[in-house]
Amino acid sequence: MDNRTRRDSGLAYIADSQVMEEMKRCRRLLQEMNTADQTDFGRIAQIVRELFGKSEGAFINPPFYCDYGSHIEVGRNFYANYNCTILDVARVRIGDNCLLGPGVSIYTAGHPLHPDTRNAGYEYGREVIIGDNVWIGGSTVICPGVRIGDNAVIGAGSVVTHDLPAWSVAAGNPCRVIRTVTEADRRKLFKDEEIDEEAWEEVVKRGYGGTD
């Protein structure tokens, strides 16, 4: 079994010359994205489409870094702010309408615990799955194998080592659930502040006002 097959099967693998060829394609696209005219939004979006395995209307504010790109699948309206990193040794599946704050890192890659085994050159990957409508605050780290449910919000600077349920507000190192997103949060803006009436009217007009 070659190392690409081992990697994609979730087995221990070595990043040999065949694996590196796949990474070279990714690095060429990243080089173009990260040095492009930052006002050429159309070209940046086009590179994202070429880079990712699946994307629908995705946009990234460069610089951005990943290992392959082709192992990343994002839904509609994905947005990543500046300086995000996705180590996509294994699949990274992200749902619709997800936001990554600046400096967010998603890791699927891991190495053996024992130094002798690690020094032999083997590594592995574990899939990360993120649901729809998830907002991940800046400088958060998502560790290998984590699953995050729909509509979750993760506070800035968190380190997510375990699965998080849908509709949860979570933060910390290690990241823990603080509370649940409820209907009472619909008009919340910042802490206890509410969105202003003019903006709320537009929210309702666009069909996001709930049943009130």
Side-chain angles (χ1 to χ4, degrees), residues 64-189:
F64 173 76
Y65 306 96
C66 62
D67 281 332
Y68 301 95
S70 57
H71 297 163
I72 300 170
E73 300 180 2
V74 302
R76 294 177 293 110
N77 304 319
F78 171 79
Y79 174 78
N81 216 326
Y82 304 105
N83 210 36
C84 287
T85 299
I86 300 179
L87 301 186
D88 58 321
V89 167
R91 290 283 175 190
V92 175
R93 305 174 192 268
I94 301 175
D96 295 339
N97 306 310
C98 288
L99 307 176
L100 304 187
V104 167
S105 296
I106 299 174
Y107 303 149
T108 69
H111 302 270
L113 186 63
H114 196 283
D116 286 347
T117 314
R118 189 166 61 246
N119 292 341
Y122 278 95
E123 54 187 300
Y124 64 89
R126 291 293 179 269
E127 185 177 62
V128 169
I129 299 176
I130 298 171
D132 296 336
N133 308 310
V134 173
W135 174 25
I136 301 175
S139 299
T140 291
V141 174
I142 310 295
C143 292
V146 163
R147 286 163 169 71
I148 298 173
D150 295 346
N151 308 305
V153 177
I154 301 174
S158 297
V159 178
V160 185
T161 59
H162 295 92
D163 295 355
L164 295 174
W167 293 96
S168 60
V169 178
N173 179 9
C175 189
R176 294 184 175 89
V177 174
I178 298 170
R179 66 178 183 87
T180 301
V181 179
T182 70
E183 187 65 22
D185 295 307
R186 190 174 288 275
R187 292 192 63 164
K188 290 290 178 65
L189 190 65

